[in-house]
Amino acid sequence: MSDVKALAEERTQMLVDVLAGRIPKRVPVCPTITYEYAVEYTGNSLFEAFWHMENFEKISDVICRDFYVDLFPMNYLRFPALYKTLGARNWVQGSNGFMQHPEVVGLLEEEYDEFIESPYDCIMEKVLPRIYTNLNTDPVTRSIVLAKAFKIFNDEFGNIGAVTAKLSAKYGLANVNLFSAAPSAPFDFVADQLRGFRNIMLDIRRIPEKVEAAVKAAAPLMTKMGLPAGPTPPNTAVFIPMHMGPFMRTADFERFYYPTFKEMVENFVKAGLHVLLFVEQDMMRYLDHLNDLPENTIMWFELGDPKLAKEKVGKKHIITGFYPVTMLKTGTVEQCVDKAKEILDILAPGGRYFFNFDKAPLTFDTAKPENLKAVLEYVAQNANY
Amino acid sequence: MIESKYYKTWEQYMAEHPEISEREEKAMSSRMQTYEEMMFGFVMFLLI
């Protein structure tokens, strides 16, 4: 067996052990690094790079070469070619190339009943043409726009999938997929691009029954989105970013958010998938709810108290995150490594932990590369069990 | 199960197309349904 294959097997085993709740040989190093960061690290322009995703391999190769990782660290979703073709209002490229996400309202208040009655039909007929202006046209033009967009979508994700496999093989990275799909929690789906942040908060007060029914109607769509079309591949997780919880009262979270979310997570686990939650912002007041999810749910924490999280969910679930990525911008190498030691001392004992930052460094100016390298190297060389 | 004008399971599709023979069904089912699932995934991606 070649060295690189043996390395991949070793790294895969470490992650498989963590996902199964076993103590691995060492804490796996699984940072997420945004494509934006990679593009700027390699001296490229965001604007051009996003239009030329054929460079994804070349740029990703440099990241895999220069930074210690056990798992392929990058992905990218917001292709300007796709959103421009559709005339998108929800994803718009800024003058610096960065893809901006303006607040949109895809579903009007008077359309709740239509959505509740048949959510997918309502999405196709009302929501998509409202958010994607080039679909709001005659049927022939609309079919051409949608065909182009579908082609772009498949080309871009096909390229990213192929590059991920190629570079994982080249660098002996783990054969584990933590981002097989990215469905939203049903409440987040209704909140994010259907009603929008402001409206959903008002709707909860004014028309709670409609909100509750809409969330229930959205749940099968989100579940279907996360399930693989064929047999479930091994070592595969569905990624669910949790958005709205921190902005809700606990009683509202328990009524509107948690029931369908929990059911969705349980359905994924029944189907043989792992679940990776991005626990956004500070959700420490929901730790008991999170602990009630199926065993070995992966929880990537952004803010909060790592000691409390370890104590409350760390015996049953898998924790990652908490390392403040802002430190990579403001700290010295020594301070950044000390922070890694502190986080490891809290989260590594007993296993059920892999290393990642609280969020991915977004652009090059958000993390000094020497700090990023030092922290990843430190964990890789020292976090042995 | 999703009830929609714009998404059909293979069983729903077959119910609407009784002219399809058993031989045709065997040959085409997985291929045809794959595209149905891909389009569903694409549409949902547009809203996340």
Side-chain angles (χ1 to χ4, degrees):
Chain A
M1 188 188 300
S2 70
D3 287 352
V4 80
K5 268 194 173 174
L7 187 57
E9 283 194 6
E10 185 182 325
R11 284 166 158 162
T12 301
Q13 189 58 51
M14 285 195 299
L15 265 167
V16 166
D17 285 342
V18 171
L19 296 182
R22 295 188 294 266
I23 295 181
K25 184 178 171 187
R26 157 173 70 71
V27 171
V29 180
C30 307
T32 45
I33 297 174
T34 62
Y35 191 50
E36 289 85 343
Y37 187 89
V39 165
E40 294 186 330
Y41 173 76
T42 52
N44 289 288
S45 139
L46 290 180
F47 194 92
E48 277 74 22
F50 295 156
W51 281 95
H52 293 281
M53 290 299 292
E54 66 272 19
N55 295 323
F56 185 72
E57 179 178 347
K58 194 171 63 183
I59 289 170
S60 301
D61 196 313
V62 175
I63 296 296
C64 293
R65 184 196 69 195
D66 288 2
F67 296 90
Y68 186 92
V69 291
D70 287 320
L71 186 67
F72 188 72
M74 290 194 306
N75 207 331
Y76 191 67
L77 305 175
R78 305 304 176 192
F79 315 107
L82 172 67
Y83 293 107
K84 195 75 178 169
T85 297
L86 289 163
R89 293 170 54 230
N90 56 344
W91 291 99
V92 181
Q93 192 170 32
S95 57
N96 64 351
F98 200 87
M99 293 299 286
Q100 305 286 346
H101 180 36
E103 169 91 333
V104 291
V105 178
L107 183 77
L108 304 182
E109 185 178 332
E110 56 268 29
E111 292 166 346
Y112 258 110
D113 287 340
E114 213 173 314
F115 181 82
I116 292 161
E117 172 70 25
S118 184
Y120 197 65
D121 288 359
C122 183
I123 284 169
M124 296 298 279
E125 293 169 3
K126 298 286 169 64
V127 178
L128 291 187
R130 189 167 290 132
I131 293 179
Y132 295 103
T133 58
N134 292 347
L135 297 178
N136 189 16
T137 182
D138 66 272
V140 176
T141 306
R142 182 181 184 178
S143 66
I144 292 170
V145 168
L146 203 61
K148 282 191 212 168
F150 189 55
K151 168 84 172 120
I152 295 165
F153 172 81
N154 284 300
D155 285 353
E156 300 291 32
F157 277 113
N159 176 46
I160 286 176
V163 169
T164 301
K166 188 174 174 183
L167 293 182
S168 293
K170 178 176 176 180
Y171 288 97
L173 303 178
N175 185 18
V176 171
N177 184 357
L178 298 180
F179 299 90
S180 69
S184 303
F187 181 87
D188 285 332
F189 181 73
V190 175
D192 286 350
Q193 299 195 43
L194 299 189
R195 293 296 293 140
F197 186 96
R198 180 175 161 274
N199 287 328
I200 197 72
M201 291 309 192
L202 293 172
D203 293 350
I204 282 177
R205 303 281 168 271
R206 294 193 308 209
I207 44 171
E209 290 79 16
K210 301 266 189 204
V211 175
E212 200 170 25
V215 171
K216 282 182 184 165
L221 300 181
M222 291 297 97
T223 301
K224 181 168 174 53
M225 187 184 178
L227 292 172
T232 302
N235 309 328
T236 299
V238 176
F239 175 64
I240 308 174
M242 300 176 72
H243 294 153
M244 294 298 291
F247 306 101
M248 301 171 78
R249 296 187 307 182
T250 302
D252 289 337
F253 179 84
E254 287 173 345
R255 175 178 177 185
F256 298 103
Y257 196 108
Y258 190 66
T260 51
F261 163 73
K262 181 170 186 264
E263 192 182 345
M264 186 172 86
V265 171
E266 287 169 346
N267 284 333
F268 292 147
V269 171
K270 275 183 210 152
L273 290 158
H274 297 277
V275 176
L276 167 57
L277 306 178
F278 185 27
V279 188
E280 292 185 20
Q281 241 256 3
D282 184 339
M283 294 185 67
M284 292 298 103
R285 70 188 153 108
Y286 298 125
L287 286 176
D288 288 333
H289 301 85
L290 293 173
N291 196 49
D292 204 28
L293 295 171
E295 190 180 9
N296 290 329
T297 298
I298 310 162
M299 300 175 187
W300 174 9
F301 286 97
E302 186 179 4
L303 306 178
D305 179 353
K307 279 184 192 159
L308 185 63
K310 184 72 175 176
E311 183 189 315
K312 284 212 162 189
V313 304
K315 294 176 190 73
K316 181 178 175 187
H317 299 294
I318 297 152
I319 293 177
T320 188
F322 276 125
Y323 185 110
V325 79
T326 48
M327 190 128 196
L328 301 179
K329 175 180 178 159
T330 58
T332 62
V333 164
E334 192 183 1
Q335 286 169 330
C336 291
V337 169
D338 284 348
K339 190 68 185 177
K341 289 178 191 170
E342 181 192 321
I343 295 280
L344 287 168
D345 283 347
I346 297 167
L347 296 177
R352 294 183 190 271
Y353 170 67
F354 62 84
F355 184 85
N356 191 4
F357 300 100
D358 62 346
K359 50 189 157 292
L362 190 59
T363 48
F364 189 58
D365 60 357
T366 58
K368 292 178 193 164
E370 61 272 25
N371 287 347
L372 182 54
K373 280 179 195 175
V375 168
L376 299 177
E377 288 287 341
Y378 176 82
V379 179
Q381 288 171 17
N382 295 281
N384 298 303
Y385 283 100
Chain B
M1 171 77 84
I2 292 161
E3 290 295 334
S4 171
K5 278 187 269 182
Y6 308 110
Y7 171 85
K8 301 290 175 202
T9 62
W10 183 249
E11 291 69 29
Q12 288 168 328
Y13 181 86
M14 283 302 290
E16 290 174 12
H17 295 276
E19 77 281 5
I20 294 174
S21 70
E22 203 174 313
R23 183 181 173 207
E24 286 172 314
E25 185 192 354
K26 255 189 188 166
M28 67 195 276
S29 60
S30 63
R31 187 71 185 260
M32 294 286 279
Q33 198 57 30
T34 296
Y35 290 114
E36 191 76 358
E37 302 301 335
M38 284 171 73
M39 182 53 76
F40 174 84
F42 170 60
V43 167
M44 299 316 297
F45 171 81
L46 293 178
L47 294 175
I48 59 149

